Each structure stands twice: as C-alpha cells, then as structure tokens.
Amino acid sequence: MRVHVVSDVHGNSRDLAAAGAGADALVCLGDLVLFLDYADHSRGIFPDLFGVANADALVELRTARRFEEARALGRKLWGELDRTGVSRESVIEGAVRRQYAELFDAFPTPTYATYGNVDIPRLWPEYAGPGTTVLDGQRVEIGGRVFGFVGGGLTTPMRTPYEISDEEYAAKIEAVGEVDVLCTHIPPDVPELCYDTVARRFERGSAALLHAIRTTRPRYSLFGHVHQPLVRRARIEGTECVNVGHFNATGTPYVLEW
C-alpha cells in the first residue's frame, strides 16, 4: 500500500495534480488557500488586492511579531476598499472560491482531506467531488490501517479563518481515539516541531495531540502548518511524528508505504 501525504498546498494546483501519481490514495492536511506567500510576496489574495509593497510591509510586521501594527495596516487597507462600496467578505470569498475550484479539481481519486487554519470549511462541500472524502474529528480505513483526521488550528493573534479553542480541538482529538495514523494540520506541542526557522517564531502546537500520541501510541503522527521547522521529525513514545512538508514550496508529497 502506498499513500502520498501533502499539507500547506497554498495554491499550488500544478504540483497537486501530480501528487497522487503512483499512490493508492492521497491524504491532504489542509491549508489549500493562498492568502499571502511569505517567500514570494507577489502571490496570493492580499497582493492581488493591495499590491506587493503592502504585502512586503505586512510580512515584515508579522515576522517581527508586531501584530497590532500589522492589524492596523490591514484595517487601513480594507477601509480604503470598503469606501469603494465593495464588500470585503465578497471579495475574499470570491478569491477563495476561484482557488478552491482549481485545487479540488486537481485532487486525484481517492483523496482524504482535512482543513487547515486558513481554510473556510463551509465552502468545502461545494467543491469536494465524489472522489474526495473530507474528515474532521473522524476516522477512516485506508488499506487496512485506521487513519484519524483533525483539522484546523488553535487560536492565535493572526486570527486566521479556522482557528478553534483548545477545548474544541481536544474534543476532536478524543473523538478520533486510537488509530494507526493520526493526521492533523498542526503539530503536537513539541518546541522543536513548532519553531519556524524562517518566520523566527513558534507556531501553536496542540497539547491534546501530544497527550494522545503518548497515551494511544499511533504508528505515525503526520502534520504540516510549520513551513520551515527546526526539525521535521521526532519519535515520541514509539510514534514517528513527521512534518510532511510545505507542499506549496516543495511540490513533493510525503510517501507512506506498508
């Protein structure tokens, strides 16, 4: 059995279309939407609306953890758009819908997917075809192994679209229970797995996920979210914990075989 796993696609539909080649199934751990590419500030919804110079400024503020100034810049730019009579919600949703149409069309059959923190779950049913199974706090058997899926991220100052409370996230982890492969968008709360060496900050990992790994001991814990982690894998209580990579940048899926 061969399963390919991707995460943090962020608009890379070209490589996504080839990601399932040679695999029995594709697993996607979310973040399909590209709002702003931190490596190439000309790509994404934000620069399309406000230009590359403003994207440069926003990335600089966020990287320096000057979140209040970043929000102030965002309010100024969105305020200017609001004054044109255009609804920001309709603009963002229209851009996300265009990306989703292209990305979901690129998924092979079968694909098993969960949400990332920048995704908009309510839109997924409109784009997920019959070959794509969307799971969140749920389990599925793939090739004789049980896979559990928990999507989204925890609340942060970034206020991305699908952030939930620690309690809600823990409830989804508990609902999944004992599995062979535990698939999440965010990592367990282990410092070296959560630190982004380029953004120079710790992303939020889940303590509930770490507890589940230690108590239920799945064969694998697979996740993304941290684009340039200090370490990409760690072994915890017999579980191989793997950051499957920033697919937007690498275009290469993680391969799981048994």
Side-chain angles (χ1 to χ4, degrees):
M1 190 72 185
R2 182 182 176 100
V3 172
H4 289 181
V5 188
V6 301
S7 186
D8 299 270
V9 177
H10 293 302
N12 187 352
S13 58
R14 181 192 62 188
D15 290 326
L16 185 62
D24 296 291
L26 179 73
V27 167
C28 179
L29 305 183
D31 270 10
L32 299 183
V33 172
L34 179 62
F35 189 74
L36 175 58
D37 190 330
Y38 277 56
D40 180 354
H41 304 168
S42 69
R43 297 181 64 238
I45 296 171
F46 188 90
D48 286 349
L49 290 173
F50 303 120
V52 176
N54 283 315
D56 290 341
L58 186 67
V59 170
E60 182 179 352
L61 291 170
R62 285 183 172 178
T63 302
R65 301 186 65 80
R66 293 156 59 187
F67 295 119
E68 282 302 327
E69 292 174 70
R71 282 195 286 269
L73 174 61
R75 285 193 297 270
K76 172 180 175 292
L77 294 171
W78 286 111
E80 291 171 355
L81 182 67
D82 290 341
R83 285 191 287 276
T84 68
V86 177
S87 161
R88 71 179 73 182
E89 290 79 11
S90 64
V91 168
I92 292 174
E93 183 168 316
V96 169
R97 284 180 176 279
R98 288 190 291 274
Q99 291 187 14
Y100 277 167
E102 187 174 338
L103 290 159
F104 277 92
D105 188 58
F107 277 144
T109 297
T111 290
Y112 302 89
T114 196
Y115 317 113
N117 60 292
V118 302
D119 287 310
I120 303 177
R122 66 178 175 81
L123 297 181
W124 280 37
E126 297 182 41
Y127 296 95
T132 298
T133 303
V134 179
L135 303 116
D136 189 16
Q138 297 161 292
R139 303 148 53 102
V140 67
E141 185 177 312
I142 305 173
R145 288 191 175 177
V146 178
F147 284 63
F149 290 79
V150 175
L154 297 173
T155 54
T156 72
M158 304 286 279
R159 299 178 184 175
T160 51
Y162 190 43
E163 294 182 353
I164 61 177
S165 70
D166 290 63
E167 293 76 18
E168 185 178 351
Y169 195 90
K172 291 197 294 183
I173 291 286
E174 185 175 1
V176 165
E178 293 188 16
V179 296
D180 297 304
V181 185
L182 187 48
C183 298
T184 58
H185 179 67
I186 63 173
D189 189 16
V190 176
E192 57 266 37
L193 295 174
C194 294
Y195 187 72
D196 192 305
T197 59
V198 174
R200 295 177 296 171
R201 66 169 180 260
F202 287 97
E203 301 288 355
R204 285 209 64 190
S206 169
L209 172 57
L210 179 58
H211 177 73
I213 290 168
R214 287 175 169 160
T215 55
T216 67
R217 299 189 177 189
R219 294 172 185 259
Y220 292 93
S221 166
L222 305 180
F223 50 87
H225 188 56
V226 184
H227 292 177
Q228 299 90 14
L230 187 62
V231 299
R232 292 201 173 275
R233 59 198 308 150
R235 197 157 185 85
I236 301 172
E237 303 289 346
T239 297
E240 192 70 15
C241 302
V242 184
N243 184 318
V244 299
H246 179 200
F247 187 78
N248 170 265
T250 67
T252 304
Y254 175 75
V255 177
L256 194 62
E257 292 183 295
W258 63 93

